Amino acid sequence: MHLVIIGNGITGVTTARYVRKATDWDITIISSETEYFFSRTALMYIYMGHMEYEHTKPYEDHFWEKNDLNLICDHVMDINVEDRELDLREGESVSYDKLVLATGSQPNKFGWPGQDLDGVQGLYSYQDLQLMEENTKNIDRAVIVGGGLIGIEVAEMLHTRDIPVTFLVRESNYWDNALPVDEAKMINEEIRRHHIDLRLETNLEKILPDDNGRVRAVVTQEGTQIDCQFVALTPGVHPNLELVKSGPVETDRGILVNRHFETNIDDIYAAGDCAEFKEVPDGDPSIEQLWYTGRLQGECLARNLCGERKAYDRGIWFNSAKFMTIEWQTYGRVPPQLPDGCETFCWQHPDENLLLRINYKKSDRAVTGFNSFGMRLRHAVCEQWIDEGKTLEYVLEHLGEVNFDPEFCDQHESEIITYYNERYPDRQLELKQKRGLLGLFQFENQMTA
């Protein structure tokens, strides 16, 4: 059996590792991005000088040979489904018995005039990072278009090099299509506190070239011209379908798969950013483009490849990021608009960038989701409380159990309890558990009981 995986990102590599643990198959991973797997989420830290590229590789270079994983650094140009063969750019062909497509994402572009000029780019791949290094040398100003996670990462990257930045966001607040408005406004202020020129409700009209075909300015839909020498297009990503768009593999927005990652072609599978589920549980996205979902999908796909008929179940949603200096964690469902049948409890520190939001059901007050800014929460505790339907009041009285801040950080559990008691004078609560190792041991004892 020869398993070939196209793509050496988190999904492809996780698939290979788990299949290797269970089988002695021949396994080949093909990628034209880099020779070895690296952590894509660490790209920004290379630019910022916090890490070297070598530091972003989760495995030593000898890991692949030791585990009998064959790496090919080349680009797949075509899939010959009839003959089960791949054509590579360098002229070689590779045959397969089972094929996994884990081709990742590509940055979005929306047909703006000038979007392909020199000095205009997205940020997804290692090659994008190298291009950004070249494109931002000796520039006077950069413009970022698109207010998502990649956009604020690029803003922070440029800020560390003292490059003035104008940040164009078409929404009323930063990322308010994903964050409740209180949280989005907090991030607005955080961006501006770093002297970044944040312009909300502002759309890009066009990008202007100089005489050498390089960007010299952008023009907004209001007609404002902003001189710049670099433009980052960061309005999200889409599944990379370049390899399959003209072939027999069925696609829509992504490569269509069932919950076992099977495409419409026998023995061809897809997973990770490039895959789109044909059926999803209510409220779940059909395309998941996060690091941890890529890892979960790779693990589940490996089980299916090895004969265990297991449907993908992501479990309780979670995500985390950092907005300049503010850490964010979310567990469960905390959409921008409160869902029907739910209420929310939100505490925000009056002076510091600290916020805790807990959504819960009106009917039984069972918690449905957490949003935490500037406070670290224990993942396992949040999941367990949501899964067990703990009430808002139980969660607040046991905040010490979920708090994961470093030892000497200020504690705010008592302030949160006081805020609740002022809001609900007929439901007086008291903190029953403080932060610290005792709380951790109590939780672990519950888990093992």
Side-chain angles (χ1 to χ4, degrees):
M1 178 67 70
H2 186 198
L3 170 66
V4 176
I5 300 168
I6 303 175
N8 70 347
I10 182 64
T11 304
V13 165
T14 302
T15 304
R17 287 181 53 239
Y18 277 85
V19 171
R20 168 55 66 237
K21 289 179 181 179
T23 75
D24 60 357
W25 295 355
D26 293 333
I27 301 175
T28 297
I29 304 173
I30 305 174
S31 172
S32 58
E33 184 177 12
T34 54
E35 184 175 4
Y36 297 109
F37 169 52
F38 71 98
S39 174
R40 193 174 304 284
T41 55
L43 279 178
M44 66 181 294
Y45 299 109
I46 301 175
Y47 185 90
M48 292 162 66
H50 299 175
M51 305 174 77
E52 300 288 339
Y53 166 68
E54 292 296 315
H55 303 150
T56 68
K57 291 190 285 190
Y59 305 107
E60 299 286 344
D61 291 351
H62 62 76
F63 169 88
W64 310 97
E65 183 176 358
K66 179 181 177 181
N67 288 278
D68 198 17
L69 298 169
N70 180 38
L71 305 182
I72 295 179
C73 190
D74 205 335
H75 195 79
V76 180
M77 303 300 292
D78 190 34
I79 304 172
N80 185 332
V81 172
E82 295 296 324
D83 296 333
R84 296 187 176 224
E85 196 168 78
L86 308 175
D87 296 331
L88 306 185
R89 182 162 53 198
E90 297 301 320
E92 300 293 325
S93 295
V94 176
S95 61
Y96 65 85
D97 298 303
K98 293 181 184 291
L99 176 65
V100 171
L101 304 172
T103 52
S105 293
Q106 292 178 319
N108 285 333
K109 293 182 177 180
F110 294 103
W112 292 295
Q115 67 179 17
D116 296 318
L117 290 171
D118 290 344
V120 181
Q121 65 166 101
L123 179 62
Y124 178 81
S125 67
Y126 183 69
Q127 284 74 17
D128 290 336
L129 180 72
Q130 293 176 310
L131 184 60
M132 185 172 168
E133 282 283 358
E134 292 299 316
N135 280 336
T136 57
K137 287 180 179 175
N138 304 315
I139 64 172
D140 296 323
R141 175 164 292 277
V143 170
I144 301 169
V145 181
L149 290 175
I150 298 175
I152 199 168
E153 284 186 0
V154 174
E156 184 175 358
M157 293 162 71
L158 296 166
H159 179 69
T160 61
R161 297 197 180 185
D162 296 324
I163 298 172
V165 176
T166 296
F167 196 173
L168 307 184
V169 174
R170 68 177 181 178
E171 290 80 16
S172 300
N173 298 284
Y174 169 78
W175 211 29
D176 64 6
N177 56 356
L179 299 175
V181 67
D182 291 335
E183 288 90 319
K185 287 183 176 179
M186 176 192 287
I187 306 306
N188 289 347
E189 294 308 310
E190 174 70 356
I191 293 169
R192 287 173 170 144
R193 191 173 69 82
H194 285 80
H195 308 290
I196 290 169
D197 176 23
L198 175 64
R199 302 193 187 188
L200 301 172
E201 298 181 303
T202 303
N203 284 302
L204 175 66
E205 176 68 24
K206 58 184 175 182
I207 305 170
L208 303 178
D210 64 12
D211 292 339
N212 298 314
R214 187 174 185 83
V215 56
R216 66 174 174 84
V218 301
V219 178
T220 70
Q221 286 188 344
E222 292 74 29
T224 302
Q225 179 171 317
I226 304 168
D227 293 341
C228 61
Q229 299 77 42
F230 174 73
V231 175
L233 300 177
T234 62
V237 296
H238 62 272
N240 180 2
L241 305 180
E242 286 292 323
L243 180 60
V244 296
K245 61 184 179 183
S246 60
V249 177
E250 188 179 10
T251 63
D252 187 13
R253 292 193 298 140
I255 300 171
L256 292 173
V257 296
N258 60 19
R259 302 299 286 185
H260 304 275
F261 304 99
E262 295 163 331
T263 70
N264 62 313
I265 305 295
D266 287 345
D267 293 322
I268 296 183
Y269 304 78
D273 286 21
C274 67
E276 179 179 2
F277 292 111
K278 290 186 281 190
E279 297 179 356
V280 295
D282 183 37
D284 283 359
S286 60
I287 300 173
E288 298 177 347
Q289 294 170 315
L290 299 175
W291 177 270
Y292 89 88
T293 55
R295 179 176 53 79
L296 292 175
Q297 289 190 23
E299 181 179 346
C300 185
L301 169 56
R303 291 174 182 267
N304 282 277
L305 287 166
C306 296
E308 179 182 348
R309 192 73 179 162
K310 179 179 176 60
Y312 174 65
D313 179 7
R314 187 194 63 218
I316 293 171
W317 176 263
F318 73 91
N319 197 4
S320 64
K322 189 163 75 67
F323 304 107
M324 313 298 282
T325 63
I326 304 175
E327 294 184 9
W328 167 62
Q329 294 172 285
T330 188
Y331 302 98
R333 296 181 184 277
V334 190
Q337 304 301 323
L338 197 60
D340 291 339
C342 285
E343 292 186 339
T344 193
F345 172 84
C346 182
W347 171 84
Q348 185 169 3
H349 195 283
D351 303 314
E352 301 177 33
N353 288 322
L354 302 171
L355 183 148
L356 177 66
R357 179 183 298 280
I358 305 174
N359 284 0
Y360 59 97
K361 297 177 184 175
K362 288 181 182 177
S363 57
D364 58 6
R365 305 182 75 77
V367 298
T368 58
F370 296 82
N371 244 1
S372 175
F373 288 74
M375 302 169 64
R376 295 179 183 177
L377 305 183
R378 295 185 193 280
H379 185 165
V381 178
C382 290
E383 277 199 339
Q384 181 175 332
W385 283 351
I386 294 171
D387 188 51
E388 293 179 349
K390 296 294 189 186
T391 65
L392 170 68
E393 287 71 25
Y394 176 92
V395 167
L396 292 176
E397 289 190 322
H398 294 79
L399 280 177
E401 192 174 302
V402 76
N403 190 302
F404 194 51
D405 280 332
E407 185 176 4
F408 296 111
C409 282
D410 291 338
Q411 296 190 37
H412 300 281
E413 289 85 350
S414 296
E415 297 167 55
I416 297 170
I417 292 290
T418 299
Y419 176 74
Y420 175 92
N421 288 339
E422 292 172 352
R423 185 178 175 185
Y424 302 105
D426 58 333
R427 293 173 179 264
Q428 295 297 293
L429 304 181
E430 60 180 62
L431 191 63
K432 295 184 176 178
Q433 191 165 328
K434 294 185 177 180
R435 183 184 66 186
L437 288 176
L438 177 61
L440 175 61
F441 292 148
Q442 289 175 334
F443 174 73
E444 290 186 340
N445 287 337
Q446 293 172 23
M447 294 287 286
T448 56

